[in-house]
Amino acid sequence: MENKTKLMSVRDAIIMAMSEEMRRDENVFLMGEDVGIFGGDFGTSVGMLEEFGKERVRDTPISENAISGAAIGAAMTGMRPIVDVTFMDFIVYMMDNIVNQAAKTRYMYGGKGQIPVVFRAAAGGGVGSAAQHSQSLEAWFTHIPGLKVIAPGTPADVKGLLKAAVRDNNPVIFLEYKAQYNMKGEVPLDPEFVLPIGKADIKKEGKDVTVITYGRMLERVMQAANEVEETEGVSVEVVDLRTLAPLDKEAVLESVKKTGKVLLVNDAHKTGGFIGEVAAMIAESDAFDYLDGRILRLAGEDVPIPYNQTLEAAMIPNVERIKKYILKLVNNR
């Protein structure tokens, strides 16, 4: 079992991860709007109500404040809730509970309290959901000590890191990308396949330039890296952060020292985006002395995400723009 894999979508990897953890620990339960009979707004809990019943797959009222407060309270008393936030944009209604209560309780009680709760948030654009249903807000939460923030980009990483998030004794913001729910990949079937939080992954080794990314952009970065290697002979190393908080600084700095050139890519808005923090970390470290060029960032444009599909596609980094930035670094332009 431990070496077997199955081709499945991100959606199915999420269902598998949650189901395995609920079978393993009776204190784990799922809650949120439409998670029960409807199977989740994005189909990420289909079949779970039938297996676990309405006590552990709990449909809630349409009140994000109530959902987050109930989840955090349940976590304080020994339960391990998984919250389906649906659109990440709705997490703004949960901010006080997450930022001022969940993130700070363990610290304020001298480590005696713990808040094992996961907030699963469907992030990003690419599916025509317009300005109020397409945002990637991970940078807000990486600013808050006490929160862990995870943004995987493959079905296998989704499974392994979601299981790790459920088992963690701290509040976790777990990003899922709406445009990738149908993306497929090989996923380990082992119920004990759990990936470490805070560990980046070198998805592709290279020697000429480092591209650092996470989440939805990983797929496009990998395509761009393979294409420039085939057509231009440029060897690209791809660092998939996977976890944003805590950040695997060692993996980032080692790769930058190795190649001497670095491009950072995310789909969130450029101003205040998380890759800016990574860029600053590189600039403040001894890896800066290894650089043979500028640190470049490629991110979503600083505009509300349009409903129009052509405009939406234009504001998010695509494969051609990633290739252009890689070649700009290599050619020192």
Side-chain angles (χ1 to χ4, degrees):
M1 171 69 77
E2 61 186 39
N3 294 320
K4 290 184 178 180
T5 64
K6 181 180 179 181
L7 183 67
M8 67 176 65
S9 66
V10 167
R11 177 182 293 104
D12 289 337
I14 291 167
I15 295 172
M16 176 183 283
M18 293 192 297
S19 298
E20 288 177 354
E21 291 306 298
M22 288 174 70
R23 294 181 197 120
R24 175 180 176 271
D25 185 347
E26 64 181 11
N27 291 316
V28 179
F29 70 97
L30 174 66
M31 64 185 296
E33 299 165 17
D34 298 321
V35 298
I37 295 174
F38 193 68
D41 285 355
F42 299 100
T44 53
S45 56
V46 170
M48 293 182 66
L49 177 65
E50 289 77 6
E51 178 175 356
F52 299 104
K54 63 181 181 181
E55 291 298 311
R56 299 185 66 197
V57 180
R58 302 185 69 93
D59 279 317
T60 65
I62 304 175
S63 173
E64 284 76 15
N65 194 23
I67 295 167
S68 56
I72 293 165
M76 287 179 175
T77 58
M79 304 299 287
R80 308 185 81 87
I82 304 169
V83 177
D84 186 345
V85 178
T86 69
F87 294 94
M88 191 172 197
D89 315 70
F90 300 165
I91 210 166
V92 297
Y93 296 106
M94 302 180 174
M95 289 295 279
D96 180 58
N97 286 330
I98 294 174
V99 172
N100 288 327
Q101 307 304 325
K104 296 174 173 59
T105 296
R106 190 169 190 175
Y107 176 83
M108 292 174 68
Y109 284 88
K112 294 180 180 179
Q114 57 189 33
I115 316 292
V117 57
V118 180
F119 294 92
R120 293 177 38 239
V127 295
S129 294
Q132 297 167 320
H133 296 75
S134 300
Q135 297 172 94
S136 294
L137 304 173
E138 62 273 13
W140 289 1
F141 297 99
T142 60
H143 184 69
I144 306 300
L147 297 178
K148 297 188 177 183
V149 182
I150 300 174
T154 70
D157 288 351
V158 166
K159 178 188 176 181
L161 286 166
L162 181 52
K163 289 169 69 70
V166 173
R167 297 185 188 190
D168 199 274
N169 288 327
N170 300 281
V172 178
I173 308 298
F174 190 91
L175 276 73
E176 303 164 2
Y177 291 86
K178 296 188 290 292
Q180 291 188 319
Y181 277 127
N182 292 324
M183 182 181 71
K184 292 187 176 182
E186 292 293 330
V187 176
L189 298 177
D190 182 3
E192 288 305 311
F193 172 72
V194 180
L195 293 172
I197 294 174
K199 187 69 174 175
D201 187 35
I202 307 299
K203 287 293 195 290
K204 180 181 181 299
E205 293 194 359
K207 60 183 177 61
D208 295 329
V209 59
T210 294
V211 182
I212 300 168
T213 191
Y214 59 88
R216 181 189 175 195
M217 288 293 101
L218 174 64
E219 184 180 26
R220 296 185 180 188
V221 165
M222 289 295 291
Q223 182 179 341
N226 288 325
E227 289 183 7
V228 295
E229 186 162 357
E230 291 174 5
T231 60
E232 306 291 338
V234 177
S235 177
V236 181
E237 181 147 298
V238 178
V239 180
D240 178 13
L241 296 178
R242 301 196 300 190
T243 301
L244 311 186
L247 176 65
D248 189 350
K249 297 178 181 180
E250 182 179 351
V252 170
L253 298 179
E254 283 183 2
S255 182
V256 172
K257 290 177 182 179
K258 175 182 175 182
T259 67
K261 299 178 186 296
V262 60
L263 167 65
L264 302 109
V265 183
N266 71 206
D267 69 328
H269 302 302
K270 186 173 185 178
T271 300
F274 182 71
I275 57 173
E277 177 64 26
V278 181
M281 184 267 292
I282 295 169
E284 292 173 344
S285 74
D286 63 344
F288 180 80
D289 296 326
Y290 291 77
L291 289 176
D292 184 27
R294 296 170 292 163
I295 300 173
L296 292 184
R297 291 181 293 156
L298 179 58
E301 303 293 336
D302 290 331
V303 298
I305 299 169
Y307 171 70
N308 179 279
Q309 291 183 348
T310 301
L311 293 176
E312 181 184 32
M315 71 153 293
I316 301 171
N318 58 28
V319 172
E320 291 304 313
R321 289 177 66 196
I322 296 169
K323 289 163 59 177
K324 179 180 178 181
Y325 270 64
I326 291 172
L327 294 176
K328 182 187 293 188
L329 270 176
V330 172
N331 297 322
N332 287 316
R333 293 202 303 267

